[in-house]
Amino acid sequence: MNTPNEATQTAAPSLAVFLRQNMREYGILIALVVIMIFFQIITGGVLFRPVNLTNLVLQNSFVVIMALGMLLVIVAGHIDLSVGSIVAIIGAVAAVMMVNYKIDPWTTSLVCLILGGVIGAAQGYWIAYHHIPAFIVTLAGMLVFRGMTLWLLGGMNIGPFPAEFQKLSTGFLPDLVSLPELPLLGSLHSTSILLTLAIPALLVYLSWRSRKLNESHGIEVEPFAFFVTQNAVLVAVMVFLGYQLSTYKGFPNILVIMGVLIAFYTFVTTRTTIGRRIYALGGNEKATRLSGINTDRLSFYTFINMGVLAGFAGLIVAARLNSSTPKAGNGFELDVIAACFIGGASTTGGVGKITGAVVGAFIMGVLNNGMSIMGLGIDFQQMVKGLVLLAAVVFDLYNKQKS
Amino acid sequence: MSTNVILEMRNITKTFPGVKALSDVSFSVEEGEIHALCGENGAGKSTLMKVLSGVYPYGTYDGEIYYNGQLKKFGSIKDTEEEGIIIIHQELALIPMLSIAENIFLGNEVAKGGVINWAEATRRTTELLAKVGLKENPSTLITNIGVGKQQLVEIAKALSKKVKLLILDEPTASLNESDSNALLDLLLEFKKQGLTSIIISHKLNEISRVADKITVLRDGATVETLDCHAEKISEARIIQGMVGRELSDRFPKRVSKVGETIFEVRNWTAYHPIHSDRKISNGINLNVKRGEVVGIAGLMGAGRTEFAMSVFGRSYGQKISGEVLINGKPADVSTVERAIKSGLAYVTEDRKQLGLVLINNVMHNNTLANHKGISRNFVIDEYTERKAANEYRDRLRIRTPSIYQDVVNLSGGNQQKVVLAKWLFANPDVLILDEPTRGIDVGAKYEIYSIVNDLVAAGKAVIFISSEMPELLGTCDRIYVMNEGAIVAEMPVAEASQENIMGAIMRSGEKV
Ligand SMILES: Nc1ncnc2c1ncn2[C@@H]1O[C@H](COP(=O)(O)OP(=O)(O)OP(=O)(O)O)[C@@H](O)[C@H]1O
Ligand SMILES: [Mg+2]
């Protein structure tokens, strides 16, 4: 009899084959690096300056955080156009609570996150249980919540906020021990430099362990040379960026929160049954439902999750501006959605990665930041961002046709 | 080269990442013949035909195609259609919400300056429909006609394109016997008018009936070409070529040990999901015992799938009433989740729409219905999952380069095996199989029957829905006959025969 299973052998694929198979993921990462280097040169070295890097993180955190939720929504086969308006309404509610009613920031934040979830649930209800297209429901939501914001704020800005609240997006990690000025390295933020060394070390350890474990189970692993290069590049980039931040005020609080969230959602999408089910749902809803999975509830959850994250982003934006304005979050939905598609998510659902969305968000962020430094107007910025989005999707199409 | 060879494919090799689908295949067809292509699932039949029809354009494969004696380098389906080579794919490609006429002239509209001449299109459609013997209005929507008729529309569409070489990839896989026969007669009729056709099928009796020549593929290579006029070709002979050995029995033997009733449906009635006054299941009573295989026979459209799906988590129909008992106790099967928990599983007949997440890999599909079995506290244990998927791949001999291959890249028959693997992994007590051997090669059919035997030997029960009566007669202990949503007869297999079953269907039809 023939042996249909001969291809199971664990022969490591050649480097070229491996690269081709993972073209999309590395392609986008390389694109980010190229864009960064481009702006580094064209801005005369401003981009990588510690102050600017810190700004980049602060300006981008909310896009990244919302992209995490948006990715799940898109993978499940939906879309959410209302996130920009949710940012606005949550900011407005926070302002009214803290400024007008003097409620403490912690209670306010908790209420706002819950409110975000409720808003997500309200939209998700129609989408998941009544099968009204998400495009319509969230378009309605976009208008409704924007209108509510205007009404709530009475067309005015409300602020400022208690200092404790502002720390959310302007605070930095505490400096545990104050390091002496070092030769060559300069004065460093102790906690941050510690994390700069510890986190890459941890990541390398984890990926090495999982590689060993895979090998011992006879699972195909990437070529060793590739593994080493990949990790070396990753460590180098992380240490460089971490070091740059450490020479200034250290790691922003929001960077740490963002890192934790990224790790959490990566875990959820790749390792848990919930993540697996969302991908299946986006791939073929009927088949997934007939496999005993409550697809309606799953869709519902992705919108609640999106609502909470958009609410969180609303708090960050408010804290950053130190006031709530009716225009807050205007157009954010486009950046967030673009980040997901640049990161390789499919418009038809079922495909997309957290890491892709994060890189996509940073591409948008670097474009914004770099072009601002160059002094390009908003007109140019929008044209460029639009073209980058198109290019990313065309690249996808080209890749798909080739295989 | 003799003058009447219309097509010659020489040394065709086609590779996909990690898979060599065709290696050095040569294949030639004479004008005016019906040439059958046989082989196991994944042997490369569909791929060979896609190479021929320009789906895989020149440059993506190695080898040469000669058509009417000329070397051809087809760049697209458009090119081949211009030459009169038309393929009807394994999965029908009609657009459900368009009419017959619209579908027939899709991409080929009867138009002047972009404006469609509907009167002319309708007239020509009527002509074409008459040629294929289909009595339907050209403006009828595709969704409103059965698969058998859809297949005829596909052929009418091919005729509209001035077809000279017609390729049919498993055209009868989802047709019942009379529709299949009508289609084969049509082919014979066209042959008389000089049409050349290539037909792929796993139904060897059909092939014996219509083919002039049979080419057998195995593992992406040509094994032999048999001439049906030079000698009498038996089905066993074809099988031998396909699998490389003799397959003495079509059905594995089983000693049935029937126990107490495990699953019972009482007074099951359900209505059509849209036309709420149309009964799709009408007071059905049915039971299965441990260790028993129970068949549900019937014609296409008898309401067997609808019944099974309405029981399995109310996945079809509305206003459902009736009772389900498992081990004698009322069971809650009102959602798929609960049905699975109660020990039911339903293997769908529609693998692409309802069975598989095509863009996910073999492993993920395999475990989709049983995440409990591979996870703890929502966290998937990848090694357990991988082990399970590899086990099922070996057990069902799913032909795939690895369990990480996306299911969309598997051959039709192998996709079917993945659906089956999914439900076997869910470890049900009562397995409902709906046309599980559709599009599956003879060897694999035998394996599926063996799996059914293993299941019942382990004290489980199987409900086997099939339109192929020999299959029911060969595997079941007892057979229910269904017609128009109602059970019209029940018989132990010892008393059942094709005539009996057909008789029961006819009699019930007369009464109404
Ligand atoms: N797009 C693709 N990508 C990767 N592999 C493919 C692709 N299409 C087909 N294959 C592989 O090529 C082989 C031949 O497939 P093909 O569809 O031609 O088989 P087949 O003989 O038509 O089988 P069946 O009877 O099941 O329809 C299979 O192993 C299949 O997995
Ligand atoms: Mg095929």
Side-chain angles (χ1 to χ4, degrees):
Chain A
M1 205 66 236
N2 53 50
T3 49
N5 302 335
E6 61 203 325
T8 21
Q9 254 91 70
T10 52
S14 78
L15 200 60
V17 171
F18 185 82
L19 271 180
R20 202 166 344 109
Q21 281 168 357
N22 295 280
M23 184 77 161
R24 187 58 175 79
E25 263 158 74
Y26 294 108
I28 167 112
L29 210 56
I30 291 166
L32 176 60
V33 172
V34 169
I35 292 174
M36 285 181 115
I37 293 173
F38 170 78
F39 280 114
Q40 170 73 358
I41 294 169
I42 209 135
T43 59
V46 174
L47 189 85
F48 283 125
R49 269 195 206 143
V51 191
N52 192 56
L53 275 182
T54 307
N55 264 334
L56 194 63
V57 170
L58 296 181
Q59 283 168 358
N60 254 301
S61 52
F62 40 88
V63 175
V64 172
I65 287 169
M66 283 194 284
L68 301 174
M70 189 64 81
L71 185 88
L72 295 187
V73 167
I74 288 176
V75 167
H78 305 293
I79 193 87
D80 192 339
L81 301 175
S82 70
V83 293
S85 299
I86 299 179
V87 164
I89 182 80
I90 294 296
V93 170
V96 170
M97 284 178 75
M98 285 187 294
V99 177
N100 297 9
Y101 291 92
K102 309 277 182 256
I103 299 173
D104 75 287
W106 292 101
T107 316
T108 304
S109 298
L110 187 67
V111 169
C112 283
L113 290 181
I114 293 172
L115 184 63
V118 170
I119 290 174
Q123 300 191 98
Y125 170 76
W126 295 108
I127 296 161
Y129 294 107
H130 294 275
H131 303 279
I132 302 174
F135 188 88
I136 308 288
V137 174
T138 59
L139 185 63
M142 179 179 176
L143 295 169
V144 169
F145 299 122
R146 180 66 62 188
M148 275 165 84
T149 309
L150 285 170
W151 169 75
L152 200 62
L153 294 176
M156 295 183 314
N157 294 0
I158 298 187
F161 302 128
E164 204 180 352
F165 182 70
Q166 291 177 43
K167 282 234 179 77
L168 176 60
S169 67
T170 54
F172 293 83
L173 287 186
D175 199 1
L176 289 181
V177 284
S178 68
L179 292 176
E181 176 101 24
L182 297 170
L184 286 176
L185 295 177
S187 81
L188 293 176
H189 187 271
S190 64
T191 327
S192 302
I193 197 70
L194 194 71
L195 288 176
T196 299
L197 297 174
I199 292 174
L202 182 71
L203 287 180
V204 168
Y205 169 71
L206 287 178
S207 75
W208 182 78
R209 204 185 60 165
S210 111
R211 183 185 166 88
K212 280 287 158 230
L213 215 57
N214 278 343
E215 265 178 358
S216 73
H217 280 80
I219 297 175
E220 208 171 83
V221 292
E222 69 252 359
F224 187 68
F226 188 80
F227 174 80
V228 172
T229 327
Q230 187 189 22
N231 275 286
V233 171
L234 193 77
V235 169
V237 169
M238 287 179 79
V239 169
F240 171 70
L241 296 176
Y243 168 77
Q244 289 293 77
L245 291 175
S246 304
T247 59
Y248 184 53
K249 293 185 185 166
F251 286 9
N253 291 336
I254 201 68
L255 178 66
V256 177
I257 298 178
M258 206 164 78
V260 171
L261 285 176
I262 292 172
F264 174 74
Y265 281 96
T266 305
F267 181 78
V268 168
T269 50
T270 57
R271 298 287 308 280
T272 68
T273 55
I274 300 166
R276 178 69 62 75
R277 288 167 178 209
I278 294 176
Y279 283 90
L281 159 66
N284 183 345
E285 181 179 359
K286 284 185 196 154
T288 307
R289 189 166 49 230
L290 275 176
S291 299
I293 290 161
N294 193 334
T295 49
D296 293 350
R297 195 165 59 201
L298 209 55
S299 285
F300 186 58
Y301 286 168
T302 62
F303 278 95
I304 295 181
N305 178 65
M306 180 75 252
V308 173
L309 289 176
F312 187 45
L315 294 176
I316 298 170
V317 171
R320 190 175 148 68
L321 300 177
N322 199 15
S323 86
S324 289
T325 83
K327 281 205 154 347
N330 222 348
F332 279 12
E333 60 281 346
L334 301 179
D335 276 7
V336 173
I337 292 168
C340 292
F341 290 136
I342 290 176
S346 151
T347 45
T348 47
V351 177
K353 284 195 169 166
I354 288 290
T355 42
V358 170
V359 174
F362 271 106
I363 287 184
M364 296 299 278
V366 173
L367 286 173
N368 280 335
N369 181 275
M371 288 189 289
S372 301
I373 301 174
M374 283 170 65
L376 287 178
I378 197 87
D379 42 2
F380 256 104
Q381 296 194 16
Q382 294 206 348
M383 284 189 255
V384 171
K385 284 197 295 187
L387 289 174
V388 167
L389 172 62
L390 189 64
V393 178
V394 169
F395 180 72
D396 260 357
L397 203 68
Y398 170 76
N399 243 354
K400 219 178 276 166
Q401 274 171 356
K402 236 181 34 179
S403 65
Chain B
M1 208 194 304
S2 84
T3 46
N4 57 351
V5 171
I6 183 169
L7 169 78
E8 200 181 348
M9 301 178 78
R10 284 193 205 156
N11 311 94
I12 305 288
T13 296
K14 169 83 191 160
T15 47
F16 297 106
V19 194
K20 195 166 201 177
L22 296 172
S23 69
D24 220 9
V25 170
S26 294
F27 175 61
S28 80
V29 178
E30 280 175 32
E31 188 153 14
E33 71 179 0
I34 299 182
H35 199 124
L37 207 48
C38 291
E40 293 184 290
N41 297 127
K45 306 177 296 290
S46 299
T47 306
L48 186 65
M49 291 303 103
K50 285 180 187 166
V51 166
L52 170 58
S53 59
V55 174
Y56 301 134
Y58 181 79
T60 61
Y61 60 86
D62 294 325
E64 290 156 353
I65 299 176
Y66 290 89
Y67 183 64
N68 284 326
Q70 283 173 313
L71 179 62
K72 295 283 178 192
K73 300 178 177 178
F74 297 122
S76 69
I77 313 181
K78 207 86 207 151
D79 292 355
T80 54
E81 288 190 346
E82 260 161 34
E83 299 276 359
I85 302 175
I86 310 281
I87 183 165
I88 298 178
H89 288 287
Q90 199 163 353
E91 274 76 29
L92 293 182
L94 297 172
I95 302 187
M97 295 316 283
L98 292 186
S99 73
I100 294 178
E102 282 168 323
N103 265 288
I104 285 182
F105 290 106
L106 190 66
N108 211 354
E109 288 81 3
V110 195
K112 233 192 209 134
V115 180
I116 298 180
N117 182 344
W118 281 116
E120 175 65 10
T122 309
R123 194 187 61 74
R124 281 180 31 196
T125 304
T126 317
E127 244 175 58
L128 291 166
L129 292 184
K131 269 194 204 161
V132 298
L134 179 59
K135 292 186 198 68
E136 282 290 342
N137 193 317
S139 62
T140 307
L141 298 189
I142 290 296
T143 144
N144 294 334
I145 61 176
V147 259
K149 290 180 176 176
Q150 289 180 16
Q151 199 59 261
L152 293 178
V153 172
E154 283 274 17
I155 293 179
K157 183 172 175 177
L159 291 181
S160 81
K161 292 175 186 162
K162 311 261 175 321
V163 58
K164 296 204 185 67
L165 174 60
L166 181 63
I167 306 165
L168 301 126
D169 194 349
E170 300 196 34
T172 59
S174 43
L175 302 193
N176 63 29
E177 223 174 296
S178 64
D179 282 348
S180 298
N181 280 330
L183 190 126
L184 297 174
D185 287 338
L186 198 63
L187 277 191
L188 290 171
E189 179 62 35
F190 288 152
K191 179 180 135 182
K192 275 189 213 142
Q193 298 165 17
L195 180 74
T196 315
S197 31
I198 300 174
I199 179 170
I200 298 176
S201 177
H202 289 293
K203 297 185 179 171
L204 302 180
N205 54 342
E206 296 177 350
I207 288 186
S208 312
R209 204 183 119 199
V210 298
D212 299 304
K213 290 226 188 67
I214 301 171
T215 292
V216 181
L217 287 183
R218 194 196 308 154
D219 290 336
T222 339
V223 176
E224 55 190 348
T225 296
L226 305 166
D227 187 338
C228 303
H229 299 299
E231 53 180 324
K232 181 92 188 86
I233 307 288
S234 66
E235 286 178 34
R237 177 70 190 77
I238 308 175
I239 295 171
Q240 196 191 338
M242 282 168 59
V243 300
R245 69 188 152 102
E246 257 178 82
L247 198 68
S248 44
D249 289 312
R250 284 294 185 79
F251 302 103
K253 301 233 170 342
R254 169 166 60 92
V255 192
S256 28
K257 268 203 343 236
V258 175
E260 76 277 21
T261 302
I262 179 170
F263 175 77
E264 192 172 352
V265 177
R266 286 191 191 154
N267 258 321
W268 196 263
T269 299
Y271 290 82
H272 191 274
I274 298 162
H275 310 288
S276 62
D277 51 345
R278 215 166 92 202
K279 268 188 193 171
I280 48 161
S281 296
N282 191 355
I284 290 176
N285 288 294
L286 163 156
N287 66 68
V288 207
K289 303 183 176 67
R290 279 185 190 283
E292 193 183 32
V293 182
V294 166
I296 306 183
L299 300 177
M300 205 67 61
R304 295 166 299 172
T305 296
E306 290 79 356
F307 163 66
M309 285 185 63
S310 71
V311 170
F312 187 65
R314 319 214 157 179
S315 305
Y316 188 88
Q318 59 170 330
K319 295 194 283 180
I320 298 170
S321 62
E323 224 186 332
V324 170
L325 297 111
I326 290 178
N327 291 320
K329 284 186 225 82
D332 181 3
V333 292
S334 59
T335 68
V336 177
E337 220 173 336
R338 288 179 193 152
I340 294 174
K341 215 177 252 162
S342 316
L344 281 190
Y346 168 70
V347 177
T348 174
E349 62 170 347
D350 187 352
R351 57 179 173 246
K352 295 234 154 154
Q353 304 295 324
L354 306 179
L356 295 167
V357 183
L358 289 172
I359 57 171
N360 286 3
N361 65 30
V362 172
M363 175 172 80
H364 290 183
N365 273 285
N366 198 160
T367 58
L368 188 61
N370 185 10
H371 278 163
K372 278 224 177 68
I374 54 161
S375 64
R376 219 193 286 157
N377 301 326
F378 300 110
V379 179
I380 294 173
D381 184 283
E382 42 184 320
Y383 301 112
T384 314
E385 178 173 35
R386 195 187 129 85
K387 197 161 145 260
N390 272 323
E391 239 172 68
Y392 279 95
R393 187 194 52 179
D394 294 345
R395 188 165 147 206
L396 301 190
R397 297 203 311 116
I398 299 170
R399 190 185 299 234
T400 170
S402 90
I403 52 173
Y404 300 109
Q405 177 78 300
D406 284 349
V407 171
V408 68
N409 293 330
L410 264 52
S411 79
N414 285 298
Q415 291 178 345
Q416 180 67 33
K417 291 185 188 177
V418 176
V419 183
L420 192 63
K422 171 170 90 173
W423 288 109
L424 290 178
F425 183 60
N427 195 20
D429 294 324
V430 180
L431 181 67
I432 307 174
L433 298 171
D434 196 350
E435 308 280 3
T437 60
R438 174 178 295 172
I440 279 204
D441 68 55
V442 270
K445 273 184 188 164
Y446 188 89
E447 284 155 21
I448 288 180
Y449 304 144
S450 304
I451 288 164
V452 166
N453 286 356
D454 292 348
L455 281 176
V456 292
K460 318 220 153 169
V462 173
I463 298 176
F464 202 129
I465 300 175
S466 173
S467 299
E468 284 180 47
M469 286 186 212
E471 178 169 273
L472 290 180
L473 296 173
T475 51
C476 298
D477 295 299
R478 196 153 52 91
I479 296 175
Y480 288 100
V481 183
M482 197 175 210
N483 193 29
E484 292 177 357
I487 300 282
V488 296
E490 179 191 346
M491 51 189 92
V493 75
E495 295 167 19
S497 66
Q498 301 221 20
E499 293 73 32
N500 270 348
I501 294 173
M502 283 314 292
I505 294 172
M506 294 304 161
R507 278 195 303 281
S508 75
E510 283 159 18
K511 266 183 252 160
V512 183

